[in-house]
Amino acid sequence: MEEKTCATCGRRIEWRKKWARDWENVRYCSDACRRHKPDDTDRSLETTIVELLDQRAAGKTICPSEAAKQVGGDGWRDLMEPARRAARRLVDAGTIEITQQGHVVDPSTAKGPIRLRKV
């Protein structure tokens, strides 16, 4: 069975028996993700993450909050989870890596503070 990643949150989709006949069309891990498809803010966060990393030296990292602050201004805290989702989608695209304490981690299971760096 091929591994899939949710188009909204960027987490790994766990195969479920009820999807057996329609597995090739499954794009979202939950109804909540199906309702909240990536919008302009999500795309802006992805672009900002890549731009911020392009400005850093090779191997240097950023915190997702840096992108949230740049996109959201004073309301940046509300964009923290969307910034983490954007980072997971970029990991799936092969653009960046998510690290914790300098080690690459699985974006589907990472909890706590994370850092982002270009691949």
Side-chain angles (χ1 to χ4, degrees), residues 46-58:
E46 289 177 13
T47 302
T48 302
I49 289 170
V50 172
E51 288 172 354
L52 287 169
L53 286 169
D54 284 343
Q55 295 169 6
R56 301 283 164 96

Side-chain angles (χ1 to χ4, degrees), residues 7-26:
T8 298
C9 70
R11 289 188 173 100
R12 189 175 37 255
I13 298 176
E14 300 295 329
W15 185 87
R16 299 177 188 162
K17 188 175 180 181
K18 71 179 185 176
W19 291 338
R21 286 182 279 144
D22 200 32
W23 180 244
E24 63 277 353
N25 295 319
V26 173

Side-chain angles (χ1 to χ4, degrees), residues 9-81:
C9 70
R11 289 188 173 100
R12 189 175 37 255
I13 298 176
E14 300 295 329
W15 185 87
R16 299 177 188 162
K17 188 175 180 181
K18 71 179 185 176
W19 291 338
R21 286 182 279 144
D22 200 32
W23 180 244
E24 63 277 353
N25 295 319
V26 173
R27 296 192 57 222
Y28 306 101
C29 65
S30 67
D31 289 335
C33 282
R34 185 177 296 106
R35 283 190 299 272
H36 178 78
K37 296 179 175 96
D39 58 16
D40 290 340
T41 301
D42 295 308
R43 285 184 282 283
S44 179
L45 285 165
E46 289 177 13
T47 302
T48 302
I49 289 170
V50 172
E51 288 172 354
L52 287 169
L53 286 169
D54 284 343
Q55 295 169 6
R56 301 283 164 96
K60 297 297 180 185
T61 64
I62 65 164
C63 179
S65 65
E66 294 177 52
K69 287 174 185 174
Q70 191 164 328
V71 172
D74 290 338
W76 68 271
R77 283 184 173 78
D78 294 337
L79 291 180
M80 278 306 297
E81 184 52 35

